[in-house]
Amino acid sequence: MALNKINETHQLGPMSSFFLIQVTQIGIGFFSFQQPLSRFSAQDAWVACLIGGLSSLGVMWLILRLLENEHKYGRADLFSIHTRIFGKWIGGVLNLATIIFFMLYAAIYLRSYIEILQVWIFPQLSILVFTALFCLLIAYIVLGGMRTIGGIFLLSFVYMIPLYAETVFAVPGAHFSNLLPLFDHGPKSLLLSVFYSIHIYLGSEMILFYYPFIKHPEQAKKWCYFALLDTLFIYLMIMILGTAYFSQGEMKLTIWPTVTFWKSITFPLFEHVDMINIVYMIWILLPSMALSAWIVSRGIKLTFPVIRQKYALIFVLAVFIVVAEIVYNGELVATANALFSKLGFCFNYIYIPLLLLCQWIVKKVKGEPA
Amino acid sequence: MFRNKKRQQQASKNKDPKTIGDVLDHLGKSRDFVHFQHGNTHFSCWISYFRTLIDIDYVHRDVFPFLYSDSIRNMADIKDQLPLEKLIQTKDIHEIQSKLLEGYIIIQKDERSPECLIVPSVKIQGRQIEKSEVETSIIGPKETFVESIDTNINLIRKRIPVPQLTLKEIRVGKLSRTQVGIIYIDGIASEENVNTVLQRIQSLEVASLIDATMLALMITDNNWTIFPQFTDTERPDRVSGAVYEGKIAVLVDGSPNALILPSTIVEFFAAFDDYFLPWNISSAYRLLRLFAVALSALSSSLYVALLTYHYQLLPKDLLGSLISSRSSVPFDPVMEVLILEVMIELLREAGARLPTKVGQTIGIVGGIVIGTATVQAGLSSNILLIIIAMSALAAFITPNYRMATTIRFIRFPFIISAQMFGLLGIGMCFTYFVTHLIRLTSLGRPYIEPIFPFRASDLKDAFIRLPFQLQNSRPMFLRPGDPARMNTTRTSQEKGKKSPDIDE
């Protein structure tokens, strides 16, 4: 099959797995994750953040294991794993479920960003116009293929560095005594926080789809783990800073703690760094959205080979626009986000180990490939 | 459609000469075509040429005396005795016709005999090599290309005296048959690149080719882009530098520009003078140029966005003076900006089209008089005038003229999107352009190469220029046949020397 072998001119270097994973992990959760985390473990939320991040390393190990095993059988991505292990029909249904999950996930992600835009910058921003224009941008990126998407990821990583760096200017407003007393919470409340921290680390599982597009995957492995550690570091810093910056009382009332402490940073011509940063965060949204659109449209193409990816892409973008319109207020956005972070948790921590198990069973039953 | 095709076929049938007589009859309609019989007692022949194309002095001095001498008895004698190296004897009508049109002399035994002797006598007339005017240089070489391809090749070849320097020649243009020269160093330039260039130029279907920049547009990877994909330069030193690096130069007869392929976007912001200054200074200037580009593309749209939507971002003290300066302006910020931008574009275009002396006057009149008057008349604010003038100035810091026009142009989409969505619009427009750049290729190579795909080794000569001793490999972007610029073992030996301690 022509699809099995990805032409080298469409592939990305091993190092790009670093950018792809790091940038997909950092998302809209970056604005707001401190609040749900500290709901259960107050000043010890950073411990939960740390544990959640470390557990993502374990998930990555499982995922890479899964993909490496699959490598012998041909194209190593989730869609092919499904059809190979479960056969054409059940595999097809699972593929369809995956497609729908990622499609809705991406659409809700886009909608959450619009919510922030509406609250902080343009209260009257038309969702329809913005999503339509944004989807045009995504279409332009995805039509360029995986290499263009890789480029967007790399640039996004580079562009985000100043954003993380400038957070240093909020440090003078922090009271590090807020972090005391250390380790004051029992395992139960910590674990609850860990559960809520999982959703900020979601995104790394997308490697299940673009893995065949990475040259020399064995070299890419270390970059995958580096990316996870980098994300962990960034979230940990922001978490600690957030806890130190706000008292626990304030934290309960602040929906977007990161944006709020950005407000204390001012530069001569940019009195409101928070507004610039929110606009700047379009570069966090863009790569993940483009990758999701690419994954979903590719999934449609692989599941229904009659449909070409170009046309599938149009459908996917139309769904983005429609879903963003349907989720009409902030409460719905919050509900949808909560639902999808739970689903994401199930996908990463339950479904992937199960899939690995199935793969192992199939290998035992059918034997090694020739 | 079919009829059109038929008509074309008929037309070409009518024009196609069949015999040498047809050719001579057809050319004879031109008044500058000379066709006469030369004869003396023991030998006679027919000579034909365009008197406007041949070097008449040379012919009278070096060709005719031999023809008229007694020792010539037949055509073979002419071939033996004329002291010229490139005599062609042929029956090929097309060759005869094209050679006549290039300024060669044709000698025949009889008026209608198909056997012709072609004698070179081309007159090369063109301007002298002059000082560079478009890409000026302060301390570097000042020679520039002229309109004659032979002179241009000479300018390059004398800078690259190696036997591997290869010149391939292709004729382009169905009617014009323009001579196109492709120059590269065999073994250094990537074979794949050379083949791509040859293939793209050979497969061109055009009637005529006037200039190298036209060729650049014809063989470009993407026809829709506003970004130039191949560097054009009028400086032989720049071309030689690029050829040494492993790039390919393309020259077109009649064009004072050379193309350098492939190119990355950062090369358009690098002046060749950067290599004549210490690396730290030239790096600073390169960064300044990048800053200028950003300023030029974004400043007016930022003005629109800040004043229309995000006045919170402005410092309170500045807000006061902005309000007072804008209080007499009846327009929205976007209208104000567009009026001034269009005005500046008019001035620029007028300055470029008008004769030099008038152009300068227009610049002064336009810049000072109209600018001040616009503010006094209340069409725009003082602050905006400063911003627009600065951004116009910044656009022309770009060393390459074609890139400078692109930079001047891209502010308009930015202004419009800033009016639509404020900062968000600027962000989206920026994203669009970045995506576009990521998707662009130059000769199949990624256009924004040192950034994406990220190659740290090529960053040595991109946004900053590191010292020459660190630049010991050719850019990976070009996939050169020989990546090492210098003997690496020797350079590492020198590095191995211990640095002396104080007072040693």
Side-chain angles (χ1 to χ4, degrees):
Chain A
M1 217 162 95
L3 280 168
N4 277 344
K5 191 96 184 87
I6 309 292
N7 192 331
E8 202 179 290
T9 53
H10 297 142
Q11 280 184 322
L12 294 161
M15 204 181 152
S16 50
S17 61
F18 175 83
F19 306 113
L20 280 156
I21 290 178
Q22 201 266 4
V23 175
T24 36
Q25 278 193 305
I26 294 194
I28 299 300
F30 185 75
F31 289 123
S32 57
F33 73 100
Q34 296 99 323
Q35 196 229 10
L37 256 71
S38 42
R39 200 182 304 152
F40 300 99
S41 54
Q43 77 277 21
D44 284 337
W46 63 272
V47 182
C49 190
L50 185 66
I51 296 172
L54 290 176
S55 76
S56 72
L57 288 171
V59 175
M60 181 50 74
W61 185 80
L62 290 177
I63 291 175
L64 288 177
R65 201 59 203 279
L66 187 70
L67 290 168
E68 272 164 27
N69 290 340
E70 190 64 21
H71 208 58
K72 298 171 213 151
Y73 300 94
R75 187 160 29 91
D77 64 23
L78 189 66
F79 298 119
S80 334
I81 295 176
H82 278 159
T83 36
R84 190 181 67 85
I85 294 180
F86 301 108
K88 197 181 166 191
W89 287 104
I90 305 175
V93 170
L94 284 173
N95 280 352
L96 203 61
T98 321
I99 288 168
I100 291 171
F101 171 66
F102 275 93
M103 190 152 60
L104 294 181
Y105 194 20
I108 293 297
Y109 188 62
L110 174 63
R111 184 62 185 82
S112 325
Y113 181 71
I114 296 175
E115 181 66 20
I116 293 171
L117 279 181
Q118 282 181 331
V119 170
W120 287 88
I121 304 183
F122 294 114
Q124 263 121 44
L125 182 72
S126 154
I127 298 173
L128 184 68
V129 175
F130 179 76
T131 36
L133 285 173
F134 195 79
C135 285
L136 278 180
L137 263 181
I138 291 175
Y140 192 57
I141 296 171
V142 177
L143 285 176
M146 194 58 201
R147 278 221 165 169
T148 312
I149 297 175
I152 294 286
F153 269 92
L154 182 129
L155 288 178
S156 168
F157 177 78
V158 175
Y159 291 158
M160 283 307 128
I161 293 172
L163 191 129
Y164 304 136
E166 95 195 351
T167 310
V168 171
F169 290 102
V171 171
H175 308 279
F176 286 96
S177 55
N178 279 357
L179 289 168
L180 300 172
L182 289 172
F183 312 117
D184 197 29
H185 290 79
K188 195 192 162 206
S189 49
L190 258 184
L191 275 180
L192 266 173
S193 286
V194 170
F195 176 73
Y196 279 98
S197 79
I198 294 304
H199 87 272
I200 57 174
Y201 293 106
L202 291 182
S204 55
E205 73 277 3
M206 287 191 184
I207 197 178
L208 280 168
F209 305 99
Y210 56 77
Y211 186 77
F213 282 80
I214 292 174
K215 262 182 239 172
H216 315 301
E218 62 290 347
Q219 290 173 27
K221 250 166 106 175
K222 63 169 187 231
W223 292 114
C224 297
Y225 295 115
F226 282 152
L228 293 175
L229 289 174
D230 188 32
T231 320
L232 174 61
F233 174 73
I234 289 167
Y235 274 130
L236 201 59
M237 287 298 121
I238 301 286
M239 184 70 233
I240 292 175
L241 190 61
T243 320
Y245 196 86
F246 300 101
S247 70
Q248 286 306 317
E250 271 179 297
M251 186 66 103
K252 282 200 182 71
L253 301 172
T254 317
I255 303 177
W256 290 288
T258 313
V259 188
T260 310
F261 70 62
W262 274 337
K263 283 184 86 159
S264 66
I265 307 170
T266 50
F267 293 117
L269 207 57
F270 305 106
E271 297 277 304
H272 277 256
V273 168
D274 52 323
M275 290 177 70
I276 292 173
N277 283 356
I278 287 172
V279 171
Y280 208 70
M281 285 296 265
I282 200 172
W283 270 88
I284 272 292
L285 177 74
L286 191 80
S288 309
M289 287 297 296
L291 186 63
S292 312
W294 179 84
I295 286 172
V296 175
S297 54
R298 188 173 156 82
I300 293 176
K301 173 190 165 180
L302 294 180
T303 318
F304 310 101
V306 265
I307 306 173
R308 299 184 68 191
Q309 195 171 355
K310 287 184 210 173
Y311 306 122
L313 180 67
I314 298 171
F315 168 72
V316 173
L317 296 179
V319 170
F320 285 174
I321 296 173
V322 171
V323 172
E325 272 290 295
I326 289 173
V327 183
Y328 57 89
N329 67 17
E331 267 174 58
L332 268 178
V333 175
T335 321
N337 265 325
L339 176 69
F340 273 96
S341 59
K342 284 191 187 90
L343 283 176
F345 174 81
C346 297
F347 185 84
N348 272 14
Y349 288 79
I350 300 172
Y351 184 65
I352 286 173
L354 273 179
L355 202 61
L356 196 62
L357 190 69
C358 291
Q359 196 190 36
W360 181 74
I361 292 170
V362 168
K363 197 176 106 182
K364 284 288 156 207
V365 174
K366 289 189 181 167
E368 287 274 336
Chain B
M1 223 175 94
F2 290 109
R3 201 196 293 161
N4 213 345
K5 207 173 175 184
K6 219 175 191 177
R7 207 188 292 154
Q8 273 178 1
Q9 272 173 354
Q10 271 178 353
S12 64
K13 227 178 258 170
N14 290 343
K15 270 184 204 152
D16 241 20
K18 286 211 179 48
T19 63
I20 186 78
D22 290 350
V23 175
L24 295 177
D25 287 347
H26 193 76
L27 296 178
K29 287 177 193 161
S30 305
R31 274 203 50 210
D32 56 348
F33 186 65
V34 181
H35 179 61
F36 65 94
Q37 188 181 27
H38 149 70
N40 53 18
T41 48
H42 36 262
F43 178 67
S44 80
C45 61
W46 281 85
I47 299 173
S48 22
Y49 55 82
F50 276 97
R51 69 180 154 78
T52 45
L53 286 176
I54 65 159
D55 189 346
I56 207 91
D57 287 344
Y58 163 79
V59 170
H60 283 169
R61 193 180 63 229
D62 294 335
V63 180
F64 286 171
F66 282 92
L67 282 183
Y68 298 154
S69 78
D70 289 345
S71 56
I72 302 279
R73 304 275 165 178
N74 52 29
M75 293 291 280
D77 284 347
I78 303 179
K79 210 178 170 190
D80 290 341
Q81 296 201 9
L82 265 184
L84 297 170
E85 72 285 357
K86 257 167 58 181
L87 293 180
I88 309 164
Q89 196 160 14
T90 181
K91 285 181 181 173
D92 183 356
I93 297 165
H94 290 284
E95 190 178 359
I96 294 167
Q97 185 174 338
S98 62
K99 289 291 184 198
L100 266 175
L101 286 166
E102 275 168 36
Y104 285 63
I105 297 178
I106 305 286
I107 302 171
Q108 295 160 284
K109 186 80 190 71
D110 301 310
E111 196 179 359
R112 299 282 147 180
S113 94
E115 186 78 33
C116 295
L117 195 64
I118 302 175
V119 182
S121 56
V122 185
K123 174 164 69 176
I124 297 171
Q125 200 171 44
R127 64 187 167 102
Q128 293 288 305
I129 299 170
E130 279 163 12
K131 270 180 78 171
S132 49
E133 280 182 357
V134 183
E135 292 169 74
T136 46
S137 162
I138 294 164
I139 43 180
K142 281 154 190 93
E143 281 179 331
T144 54
F145 287 130
V146 293
E147 281 77 2
S148 146
I149 191 169
D150 288 332
T151 318
N152 293 349
I153 291 170
N154 166 270
L155 286 175
I156 297 174
R157 221 179 237 292
K158 75 180 182 195
R159 287 179 169 82
I160 312 178
V162 292
Q164 287 88 344
L165 186 73
T166 317
L167 169 71
K168 291 245 165 88
E169 199 191 287
I170 301 176
R171 297 272 168 170
V172 175
K174 214 171 171 180
L175 297 177
S176 69
R177 314 291 302 148
T178 312
Q179 192 183 342
V180 174
I182 294 142
I183 298 174
Y184 59 93
I185 297 183
D186 198 24
I188 293 182
S190 143
E191 252 176 65
E192 204 188 325
N193 282 352
V194 174
N195 291 337
T196 320
V197 174
L198 287 175
Q199 187 260 327
R200 282 205 193 161
I201 297 179
Q202 271 158 356
S203 63
L204 274 183
E205 279 291 332
V206 286
S208 63
L209 178 68
I210 307 290
D211 193 81
T213 37
M214 254 171 100
L215 183 74
L217 296 178
M218 287 167 187
I219 60 172
T220 159
D221 295 48
N222 181 340
N223 267 322
W224 294 93
T225 181
I226 56 170
F227 292 92
Q229 278 155 48
F230 306 126
T231 326
D232 57 307
T233 179
E234 57 160 11
R235 294 179 56 170
D237 51 335
R238 186 166 192 174
V239 172
S240 324
V243 169
Y244 272 126
E245 213 168 42
K247 291 189 180 160
I248 302 161
V250 174
L251 295 168
V252 174
D253 196 15
S255 161
N257 287 313
L259 296 181
I260 302 172
L261 324 89
S263 304
T264 60
I265 189 164
V266 284
E267 276 158 31
F268 290 92
F269 301 108
F272 203 67
D273 273 19
D274 290 349
Y275 296 100
F276 307 143
L277 288 173
W279 67 274
N280 19 29
I281 298 180
S282 63
S283 301
Y285 282 131
R286 278 197 184 176
L287 293 177
L288 175 78
R289 268 182 230 131
L290 284 178
F291 169 73
V293 170
L295 180 80
S296 168
L298 295 176
S299 58
S300 44
S301 53
L302 272 176
Y303 177 87
V304 174
L306 291 185
L307 263 69
T308 315
Y309 296 103
H310 313 287
Y311 33 84
Q312 310 95 308
L313 290 179
L314 293 165
K316 282 189 196 74
D317 310 336
L318 187 65
L319 208 56
S321 63
L322 252 179
I323 291 171
S324 65
S325 114
R326 260 188 61 75
S327 56
S328 60
V329 181
F331 305 117
D332 287 347
V334 66
M335 278 315 294
E336 198 188 343
V337 166
L338 282 178
I339 289 172
L340 265 190
E341 285 286 0
V342 169
M343 223 177 245
I344 290 251
E345 280 300 301
L346 286 179
L347 279 175
R348 186 193 61 79
E349 188 64 16
R353 299 289 151 250
L354 286 171
T356 328
K357 281 172 189 150
V358 192
Q360 280 172 0
T361 327
I362 286 285
I364 295 163
V365 170
I368 299 171
V369 178
I370 300 183
T372 332
T374 320
V375 173
Q376 279 168 358
L379 285 176
S380 87
S381 65
N382 269 319
I383 290 178
L384 180 66
L385 192 68
I386 298 170
I387 292 174
I388 301 264
M390 277 307 294
S391 65
L393 201 65
F396 289 109
I397 284 179
T398 317
N400 184 292
Y401 180 74
R402 288 203 294 159
M403 195 44 126
T405 40
T406 304
I407 299 294
R408 286 209 44 73
F409 179 78
I410 58 173
R411 69 184 54 187
F412 289 101
F414 273 109
I415 292 170
I416 292 163
S417 45
Q419 171 63 19
M420 282 170 72
F421 285 117
L423 280 180
L424 188 62
I426 296 179
M428 286 175 80
C429 194
F430 176 76
T431 308
Y432 167 76
F433 277 112
V434 168
T435 315
H436 179 68
L437 286 176
I438 291 177
R439 289 185 63 168
L440 268 188
T441 52
S442 167
L443 221 59
R445 307 276 177 217
Y447 188 56
I448 55 165
E449 189 262 349
I451 314 163
F452 179 77
F454 181 75
R455 289 194 190 124
S457 61
D458 287 6
L459 277 175
K460 282 184 215 162
D461 190 8
F463 299 108
I464 53 167
R465 182 184 76 74
L466 291 186
F468 289 122
Q469 55 267 38
L470 290 182
Q471 312 227 5
N472 44 19
S473 60
R474 301 203 163 86
M476 225 207 280
F477 165 70
L478 301 167
R479 305 263 165 213
D482 177 16
R485 259 197 191 122
M486 42 191 111
N487 188 333
T488 40
T489 50
R490 267 176 55 200
T491 40
S492 65
Q493 269 170 7
E494 268 172 37
K495 253 183 224 160
K497 270 186 212 160
K498 264 179 79 178
S499 60
D501 198 11
I502 305 170
D503 293 342
E504 261 183 12

